[in-house]
Amino acid sequence: MASTPTGGALLALSDDLAGAVERAGASVVAVNARQRVGSTGVHWRPGIIVTADHTIERESDLTVTLADGATAPATLAGRDPNTDLAVLRIEGTNGTAATIGTGASLKVGHMALAIGRAGDGVSASLGVISALAGPWHTGRGGQIDRFIRADVTFYPGFSGGPLVNAQGEVVGINTSGVSRSMGLTIPSETVNRVVDTLLTKGRIARGYLGISLQPVRLPEALKTALGTDAETALIVVSAEPNSPADAAGMMIGDVLISLDGKPVAEAETVQGILAPEMVGKTITARIARGGVPTDVQVTVGERPQREG
């Protein structure tokens, strides 16, 4: 009975993974934009580097270190703290652009690699896709096309680096900046959308009302008065002075039932309604004040950009 050479299958797998790191690593750069530990970036398109926004601590004197060890000056093309993505431009280099895959191709259990270049060479960690879900919004309202969590280790400096599939394709940007409890991956579909907007406009507008909301259970009498079967709505717990909500007359204690005709029971629903294209539009907020339903017209503002 013929025997398989010891470790043959494992060696082949090991070689395949090393090959994936080598292919993807050619497009992985070190981003020098903060003190102490640098961060990682991906040569997303010719002359375009994508990294994690929270790692950009200064906006001038930026450089990136390419795969061949050369250092290239970079300029900030735009940043979006809401999705934790920043875009840099580099010139005068023939660095290798990444092969971009799609997050939609991933399945739970697929092998994945996180790659970083915060030091002299490429580093990598191996794991599997541990969780996938549909679209979601970050705490600042950034729209993410798909929830991706990989069971990989984000070593210091890995934020802004790629999540790579077994074929060596970049399927997203890894970051520890959108969740306090875990590192997540911003899928390539979201990255492409943000890159396109930042390269043309320099920023991404986000809808903004200027209120903080918490879920509250609706009493039966109020549900009857409103003609709704919804069990919960959102109560206003704070309102910023001179904000769109303040200008519309919304107050602490108002209960937000619907916005732009859509029922709201979670703050994420409100964030989804306040999409970039809604900035400047006047919409109807249906509220209950003192148990009495009323409609308020509010003009959606633009969320202030975080500095630094």
Side-chain angles (χ1 to χ4, degrees):
M1 181 176 178
S3 61
T4 302
T6 303
L10 289 177
L11 180 59
L13 175 60
S14 181
D15 286 342
D16 286 344
L17 293 173
V21 172
E22 184 176 5
R23 288 190 295 276
S27 65
V28 176
V29 305
V31 177
N32 310 305
R34 61 179 177 179
Q35 295 181 344
R36 295 179 296 181
V37 179
S39 59
T40 301
V42 177
H43 200 157
W44 199 263
R45 299 172 186 171
I48 300 298
I49 304 296
V50 177
T51 188
D53 177 70
H54 79 273
T55 69
I56 305 295
E57 295 183 352
R58 61 178 186 269
E59 296 190 355
S60 60
D61 299 322
L62 304 176
T63 62
V64 299
T65 304
L66 305 174
D68 62 3
T71 298
T75 57
L76 183 65
R79 62 195 308 174
D80 180 30
N82 306 293
T83 56
D84 196 35
L85 294 171
V87 176
L88 310 178
R89 293 183 187 271
I90 57 174
E91 298 181 0
T93 176
N94 294 318
T96 302
T99 300
I100 308 299
T102 172
S105 66
L106 298 175
K107 296 181 179 180
V108 173
H110 272 169
M111 284 187 173
L113 293 149
I115 300 180
R117 190 187 290 276
D120 294 333
V122 163
S123 300
S125 67
L126 172 66
V128 298
I129 303 298
S130 58
L132 295 169
W136 60 286
H137 291 85
T138 67
R140 292 181 59 87
Q143 182 180 347
I144 310 298
D145 291 73
R146 196 178 195 199
F147 179 89
I148 301 174
R149 186 184 71 208
D151 183 21
V152 293
T153 299
F154 289 1
Y155 293 108
F158 267 44
S159 274
L163 187 73
V164 175
N165 63 19
Q167 289 75 45
E169 298 172 331
V170 174
V171 294
I173 295 291
N174 297 322
T175 177
S176 58
V178 294
S179 172
R180 295 180 180 179
S181 60
M182 70 185 86
L184 296 174
T185 300
I186 308 300
S188 58
E189 295 87 343
T190 303
V191 178
N192 277 324
R193 173 165 46 80
V194 171
V195 168
D196 288 342
T197 303
L198 290 180
L199 289 178
T200 55
K201 299 181 178 180
R203 62 184 177 85
I204 295 179
R206 302 288 182 192
Y208 162 76
L209 297 181
I211 51 177
S212 295
L213 302 162
Q214 288 185 358
V216 62
R217 183 171 294 277
L218 295 176
E220 291 299 326
L222 184 54
K223 289 170 60 177
T224 300
L226 294 169
T228 180
D229 294 326
E231 295 294 329
T232 59
L234 297 169
I235 188 169
V236 178
V237 295
S238 68
E240 297 178 19
N242 304 315
S243 65
D246 182 46
M250 296 182 69
M251 304 165 55
I252 295 174
D254 287 345
V255 177
L256 182 63
I257 308 299
S258 66
L259 188 64
D260 197 30
K262 304 174 182 66
V264 292
E266 298 177 349
E268 280 197 354
T269 305
V270 175
Q271 294 170 356
I273 295 170
L274 300 177
E277 62 270 16
M278 298 299 290
V279 173
K281 293 186 177 181
T282 299
I283 59 178
T284 299
R286 185 149 179 84
I287 64 172
R289 178 177 295 167
V292 179
T294 186
D295 290 337
V296 174
Q297 301 302 308
V298 56
T299 300
V300 179
E302 181 177 341
R303 181 183 294 274
Q305 295 289 308
R306 183 187 70 184
E307 295 183 358

